[in-house]
């Protein structure tokens, strides 16, 4: 899947054990043990658009004695500040047991210009490998047609091999599908997914809300009939994936019916994986809901397959070291089924690893706040949760920020944080984004001025913080402000929009950190638990001169063995906003 790139105004690391590959195949393959998702998480290679294929034991190219799962991928090669898909080749991961974490990586199995004489270099987008009726392997891939005079040069080619790792040769000698063959169309011809049933071969493809299908003969290249438009897929955007389970056909896809009440995603630049079912490959299709919620990358791409008696979904995220929207990495998780419904439904996938709270001691407390903004509903290209996710990208996309652009911008906007308990704050760091200069009155510009206010409980009104150091409006790095410490449950930043005298620019903020005052004393707590209980207190008293606040504390998980019988043990925790380090408590079990 790809993101439509527009300006905002217009719209775990895993430990890897490397060993030489034991299987035959590409010479540059290697085997590693993954600690979890993403499959390859160290940032050495970014992969995207996964397409799983089960190669049975004894099939051509599989002499391992057991079924093998291949996950074919594209290769993201964009730099950290590049907002484009730099994809020059395809590779694959292979395993005999997903749970083992042992994978063989084939970084470079095929390049467009190396197999298709009619193709240009690059744009090696999402493809799929299937076994044909003759037992050989067919790789359907989108590529740029060098000599095309069409408005969009993307075409779908087919490569063939006797082995799942190649070598690959051009099966047709030209495009299988383009804007001119086998019949004319005006869509972008990418993202092929293929259903092979006996001698019947059906190819589905498309993007930007346009999905087509066409049947082919058993030779995998001769059209049968004419192109058809696929309908019934609520919110379809791109990245279709066809498969069959029992007597039911399932069509999963990247969905993007964005909006504040969307079951898929509130933001245009994100996608969920939705799906539909049918009793025949040609439909009619019935929408069935979401199987995968939006991931950390703006794009999402499914590949769903049964392997060793378990169903899996392969997808990509931005979670690898150094990852981003254009530096994605493939992950894989289990798919469970609800057999009480007819036809059976896929349950929503639980992504692993479960995202954990960042407990690192630090002064910033914004991550614990609830967000309220003046422009409600927020334009669907923006993402309010970006305000306190503690991520600032080198070249952000609109969902990496909160913004206000609508084309008719007001003179003032604000962002508000609310905490569940009183906090003592004394500083702020804010990252503004712009695509227009101040004074232009158009697009997105840094505010002309702004200020920070706190909710004054005594007067029941918003009050400016005392003695602010200043309110800088730069757009290169965090704009820092300090002020006299104040205890409150709510803080807001009020922005006066930049203007040319008649119209106003919008405002956009990538991140707003609020810095806590540091306590004068933090007592080493002594805690008591009854035998069998692992529930430690959620707050601790913290001293600020004569004032005492109870602040949230985030503990390490308690080992049940430590509370199985009377005794003592120590546990570590971090206090919200306390930057000096971890606190250690002695726990007495009674």
């Amino acid at each position: 899947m790809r993101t439509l790139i527009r300006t905002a105004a217009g719209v775990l690391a895993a430990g890897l054990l490397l060993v030489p590959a034991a299987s035959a195949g590409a010479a540059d393959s290697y085997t590693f043990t993954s600690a979890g998702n993403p499959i390859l998480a160290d940032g050495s290679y970014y992969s995207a658009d996964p397409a799983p294929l089960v190669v049975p034991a004894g099939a051509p190219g599989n002499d391992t004695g057991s079924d093998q799962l291949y996950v074919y991928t594209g290769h993201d090669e964009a730099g950290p500040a590049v907002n484009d898909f730099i994809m020059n080749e395809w590779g694959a991961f292979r395993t005999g047991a997903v749970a083992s974490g042992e994978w063989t990586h084939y970084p470079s199995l095929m390049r467009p210009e190396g197999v298709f004489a009619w193709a240009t270099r690059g744009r090696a987008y999402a493809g799929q490998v299937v076994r044909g009726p003759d037992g050989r392997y067919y790789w359907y891939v989108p590529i740029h047609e060098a000599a095309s005079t069409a408005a969009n040069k993307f075409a779908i080619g087919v490569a063939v091999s006797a082995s799942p790792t190649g070598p690959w040769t051009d099966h047709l000698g030209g495009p299988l599908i383009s804007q001119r063959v086998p019949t004319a169309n005006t869509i972008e011809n990418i993202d092929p997914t293929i259903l092979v049933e006996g001698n019947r071969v059906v190819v589905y493809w498309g993007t930007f809300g346009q999905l087509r299908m066409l049947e082919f003969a058993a030779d995998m290249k001769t059209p049968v009939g004419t192109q058809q438009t696929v309908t019934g897929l609520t919110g379809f955007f791109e990245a279709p994936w066809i498969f069959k389970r029992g007597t039911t056909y399932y069509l999963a896809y990247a969905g993007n019916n964005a909006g504040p009440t969307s079951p898929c995603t509130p933001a245009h630049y994100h996608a969920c994986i939705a799906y539909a079912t049918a009793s025949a490959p040609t439909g009619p299709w019935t929408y069935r809901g979401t199987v995968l919620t939006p991931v950390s990358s703006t794009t999402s791409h499914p590949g769903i397959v049964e392997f060793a008696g378990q169903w899996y979904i392969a997808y990509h995220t931005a979670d690898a070291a150094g990852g981003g929207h254009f530096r994605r990495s493939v992950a894989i998780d289990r798919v469970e089924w609800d057999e009480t419904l007819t036809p059976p439904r896929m349950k929503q996938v639980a992504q692993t690893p479960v995202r954990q709270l960042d407990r690192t001691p630090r002064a910033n407390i914004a991550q614990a706040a609830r967000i309220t903004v003046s422009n409600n509903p927020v334009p669907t290209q923006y993402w309010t949760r970006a305000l306190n996710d503690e991520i600032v990208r080198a070249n952000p996309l609109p969902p990496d920020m909160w913004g206000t652009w609508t084309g008719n911008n007001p003179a003032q906007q604000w962002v508000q944080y609310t905490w569940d308990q009183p906090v003592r704050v004394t500083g702020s760091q804010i990252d503004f984004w712009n695509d227009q200069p101040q004074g232009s009155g158009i697009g997105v510009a840094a505010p002309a001025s702004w200020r920070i206010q706190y909710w004054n409980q005594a007067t029941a009104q918003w009050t400016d913080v005392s003695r602010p150091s200043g309110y800088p409006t730069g757009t290169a790095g965090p704009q820092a402000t300090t002020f006299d410490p104040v205890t409150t449950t709510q803080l807001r930043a009020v922005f006066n929009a930049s203007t040319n005298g008649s119209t106003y620019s919008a405002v956009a903020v990538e991140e707003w950190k609020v810095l806590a005052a540091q306590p004068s004393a933090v007592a080493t707590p002594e805690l008591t638990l009854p035998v069998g209980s692992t529930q430690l207190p959620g707050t601790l008293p913290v001293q600020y001169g004569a004032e005492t606040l109870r602040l949230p504390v985030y503990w390490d998980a308690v080992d049940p063995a430590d509370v199985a019988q009377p005794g003592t043990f120590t546990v570590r925790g971090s206090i919200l906003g306390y930057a000096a380090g971890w606190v250690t408590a002695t726990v007495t079990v009674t």
Side-chain angles (χ1 to χ4, degrees):
M1 173 183 171
R2 303 145 315 118
T3 297
L4 177 60
I5 301 173
R6 287 171 265 183
T7 67
V11 252
L12 317 141
L16 302 178
L17 175 64
L18 304 180
V19 297
S23 60
D28 58 355
S29 64
Y30 61 95
T31 297
F32 66 95
T33 299
S34 172
N37 281 325
I39 293 173
L40 184 58
D42 66 349
S44 61
Y45 182 104
Y46 299 106
S47 55
D49 304 326
L53 172 70
V54 176
V55 179
N62 182 6
D63 57 2
T64 65
S66 63
D67 294 353
Q68 298 290 300
L69 175 65
Y70 283 80
V71 181
Y72 294 89
T73 78
H75 181 192
D76 275 351
E77 300 179 68
V82 175
N83 281 356
D84 192 12
F85 297 99
I86 310 301
M87 307 181 75
N88 297 310
E89 62 185 353
W90 298 276
F93 296 98
R94 176 181 61 82
T95 186
V98 174
S100 73
E102 184 174 292
W103 295 86
T104 297
H105 187 206
Y106 303 87
S108 182
L109 289 180
M110 188 169 75
R111 299 174 71 91
E113 75 281 8
V115 173
F116 305 99
W118 48 275
T120 65
R121 180 180 181 275
R123 295 303 179 191
Y125 285 2
Q128 184 180 353
V129 178
V130 293
R131 289 188 71 200
D134 61 359
R136 293 191 295 171
Y137 302 89
Y138 293 85
W139 205 339
Y140 291 72
V141 289
I143 45 186
H144 263 193
E145 187 180 0
S148 173
T149 59
N152 189 298
K153 296 181 183 296
F154 267 113
I156 294 172
V158 187
V160 63
S161 173
S163 164
T165 57
W168 302 89
T169 58
D170 190 347
H171 183 54
L172 185 59
L176 179 81
I177 297 167
S178 73
Q179 287 196 342
R180 59 184 177 85
V181 296
T183 55
N185 71 43
T186 58
I187 73 169
E188 185 165 282
N189 296 285
I190 65 168
D191 288 4
T193 182
I194 303 90
L195 176 72
V196 179
E197 273 195 300
N199 289 327
R200 188 178 192 186
V201 179
V202 186
V203 178
Y204 308 76
W205 77 99
T207 185
F208 296 128
Q210 296 286 336
L211 183 61
R212 301 290 173 87
M213 62 168 289
L214 179 60
E215 190 167 343
F216 289 84
D219 64 3
M220 309 294 283
K221 62 183 180 181
T222 302
V224 176
T226 58
Q227 293 183 31
Q228 299 179 42
T229 298
V230 180
T231 60
L233 309 181
T234 300
F236 172 81
F237 182 59
E238 61 183 357
W241 182 268
I242 184 74
F243 66 98
K244 186 179 182 182
R245 183 178 186 262
T247 60
T248 302
Y249 297 87
Y250 293 81
L251 189 53
Y253 55 91
N256 190 264
N257 51 331
T261 62
S262 170
C264 175
T265 170
H268 272 312
Y269 281 73
H270 287 162
C272 66
I273 300 301
Y275 74 104
T277 63
S279 58
T282 53
W285 295 96
T286 302
Y287 172 74
R288 298 300 187 186
T290 298
V291 65
L292 187 72
T293 55
V295 296
S296 52
S297 59
T298 51
T299 61
S300 199
H301 192 291
I304 301 172
V305 70
E306 184 181 22
F307 175 61
Q310 173 64 50
W311 284 86
Y312 293 95
I313 181 170
Y315 57 100
H316 61 233
T317 72
D319 293 342
H325 302 313
F326 303 91
R327 292 154 67 88
R328 301 159 294 178
S329 295
V330 166
I332 189 168
D333 274 312
R334 295 163 68 104
V335 174
E336 305 293 346
W337 295 85
D338 185 348
E339 303 286 358
T340 67
L341 300 175
T342 303
R345 309 288 204 274
M346 288 184 283
K347 297 180 181 180
Q348 198 163 99
V349 168
Q351 296 182 38
T352 62
V354 176
R355 209 169 279 277
Q356 300 294 321
L357 175 73
D358 183 357
R359 301 185 302 120
T360 306
R362 59 200 185 281
N364 181 31
I365 62 171
Q367 71 279 4
R370 297 190 304 279
I371 303 169
T372 309
V373 295
S374 54
N375 61 331
N376 189 21
V378 175
T380 53
Q381 68 265 38
Y382 299 115
W383 190 245
T384 304
R385 282 165 46 189
L387 279 166
N388 64 350
D389 64 0
E390 300 186 286
I391 298 174
V392 178
R393 301 188 187 278
N395 190 7
L397 292 177
D400 297 321
M401 66 188 78
W402 163 78
T404 67
W405 189 89
T406 63
N408 183 22
N409 305 307
Q412 191 177 84
Q413 299 277 16
W414 51 261
V415 170
Q416 177 182 317
Y417 283 160
T418 301
W419 292 270
D420 291 333
Q421 69 293 309
V423 292
R424 192 158 179 82
V425 295
T426 190
S428 162
Q429 293 177 355
I430 197 162
D431 285 85
F432 293 112
W433 183 89
N434 73 304
D435 62 7
Q436 299 294 332
Q438 286 178 316
S440 63
I442 59 173
V444 178
S449 63
W450 63 289
R451 66 188 187 276
I452 295 175
Q453 299 180 318
Y454 70 97
W455 180 252
N456 188 324
Q457 187 67 38
T459 62
Q461 63 184 5
W462 289 102
T463 304
D464 291 349
V465 295
S466 297
R467 297 199 299 175
S469 61
Y471 294 112
T473 58
T475 55
Q479 307 299 294
T481 302
T482 59
F483 45 85
D484 286 347
V486 61
T487 300
T488 186
T489 58
Q490 297 181 87
L491 203 72
R492 74 177 182 181
V494 181
F495 309 108
N496 297 314
S498 176
T499 181
N500 59 11
S502 58
T503 60
Y504 295 93
S505 296
V507 177
V509 175
E510 295 178 62
E511 188 75 19
W512 183 30
K513 294 181 179 180
V514 173
L515 307 181
Q518 295 306 294
S520 55
V522 176
T524 301
E526 294 185 2
L527 308 176
T528 302
L529 285 178
V531 168
S533 174
T534 60
Q535 190 65 44
L536 294 169
T539 62
L540 285 177
V542 174
Q543 200 75 26
Y544 296 92
E547 183 179 31
T548 299
L549 298 179
R550 293 198 69 92
L551 296 181
V553 58
Y554 310 108
W555 302 104
D556 290 340
V558 174
D559 187 339
D562 287 335
V563 293
Q565 58 187 8
T568 61
F569 67 95
T570 59
V571 65
R572 187 186 67 162
S574 62
I575 298 175
L576 179 66
Y578 181 50
W582 302 87
V583 294
T584 301
T586 298
V587 183
T588 300
V589 182
T590 61

